[in-house]
């Protein structure tokens, strides 16, 4: 056991050489332990402890809290989209779709880019509150493997991205994902105001949008992966790409079960 711990420790110390020194002392960034512990507590809490606590209790309403949370998400993610365009796409620096390298400079622009990535990571930890609301409202059917896995992976990869590559090629993911969040939380807010929107005819297009997101992110990652002149870490791309594909498969399966299968049953009837 001691040997395993020592090996992990040595590996982490080795990886520290590749970390961005600018983010080293930022909140949650010195080591992965706080993020890992938070993710563990999150999983145990929403899958085991939370449901047990709520088993003999009435579901909480939380309508006001959820609405405030949704509005906060809309504003925060709108800010991220704005920052992505301001600090990268329209910054005046040349941007190549096939390779967007990280700006590690200790300049105001470089620090602003890294700071925005860190804030994006923090916001994805804040996303975990979503599931807590489900548990407190006794909507455990919505605490699916897709939902929990998605939040878990985004949190862990968010830490890695901020620690080692705060900017560059990953900003494409941040831009699209933030835009998707704006649309999704706008829908959640509408559904909270008027429950009829929960069955809106256009709801399926929201899932399609999420699937398109993963396709676009995957193509963007592959472009850098096979670009021999790109210095963006290929190892991180190879680590993230399978997860992106897996997420697409999970969302596609959800789409099939939610929208295609019921239509087939209706036609047969």
């Amino acid at each position: 056991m001691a040997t395993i711990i020592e090996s992990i420790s040595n590996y982490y110390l080795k990886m520290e050489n590749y970390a961005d020194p600018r983010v080293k002392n930022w909140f949650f960034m010195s080591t992965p332990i706080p993020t890992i512990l938070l993710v563990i507590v999150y999983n145990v809490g929403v899958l085991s402890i939370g449901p047990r606590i709520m088993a003999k209790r009435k579901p909480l309403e939380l309508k006001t809290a959820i609405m405030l949370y949704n509005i906060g998400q809309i504003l925060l993610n709108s800010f991220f989209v704005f920052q992505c365009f301001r600090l990268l796409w329209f910054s005046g620096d040349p941007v190549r779709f096939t390779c967007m390298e990280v700006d590690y400079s200790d300049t105001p622009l470089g620090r602003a880019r890294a700071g925005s990535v860190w804030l994006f990571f923090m916001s994805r930890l804040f996303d975990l509150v979503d599931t807590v609301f489900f548990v407190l409202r006794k909507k455990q059917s919505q605490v699916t493997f897709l939902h929990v896995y998605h939040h878990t992976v985004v949190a862990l990869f968010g830490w890695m991205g901020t620690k080692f590559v705060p900017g560059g090629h990953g900003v494409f993911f941040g831009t699209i994902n933030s835009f998707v969040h704006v649309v999704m939380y706008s829908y959640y807010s509408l559904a909270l105001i008027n429950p009829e929107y929960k069955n809106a005819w256009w709801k399926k297009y929201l899932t399609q949008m999420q699937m398109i997101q993963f396709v676009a992110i995957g193509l963007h990652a592959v472009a850098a992966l096979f670009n021999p002149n790109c210095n963006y870490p290929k190892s991180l791309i190879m680590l993230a790409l399978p997860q992106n594909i897996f997420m697409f498969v999970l969302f596609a399966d959800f789409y099939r079960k939610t929208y295609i299968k019921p239509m087939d049953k209706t036609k047969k009837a």
Side-chain angles (χ1 to χ4, degrees), residues 189-262:
S189 298
L190 286 174
L192 196 62
I193 295 170
N194 186 351
E196 290 184 7
Y197 281 109
K198 291 180 179 179
N199 299 312
W201 62 268
W202 43 265
K203 184 180 176 181
K204 66 179 181 180
Y205 296 114
L206 299 178
T207 305
Q208 289 181 9
M209 178 183 65
Q210 290 174 305
M211 292 164 63
I212 292 171
Q213 167 191 212
F214 293 115
V215 172
I217 292 168
L219 292 174
H220 188 245
V222 169
L225 186 62
F226 290 99
N227 184 343
N229 299 316
C230 186
N231 291 323
Y232 191 88
K234 301 288 198 301
S235 56
L236 286 179
I237 295 177
M238 289 188 287
L239 187 63
L241 193 55
Q243 295 299 325
N244 186 73
I245 295 171
F246 186 47
M247 288 306 306
F248 174 83
V249 171
L250 289 177
F251 271 88
D253 182 61
F254 169 79
Y255 185 85
R256 181 183 65 83
K257 291 177 179 177
T258 306
Y259 300 109
I260 297 178
K261 214 170 182 180

Side-chain angles (χ1 to χ4, degrees), residues 5 34 36 38 45 52 65 160 162 166 171 178 180 205 212 223 230 251-252:
I5 295 175
I36 292 172
L38 179 61
R52 289 181 185 179
M160 284 190 288
T162 308
V171 174
S178 296
V180 169
Y205 296 114
I212 292 171
C230 186
F251 271 88

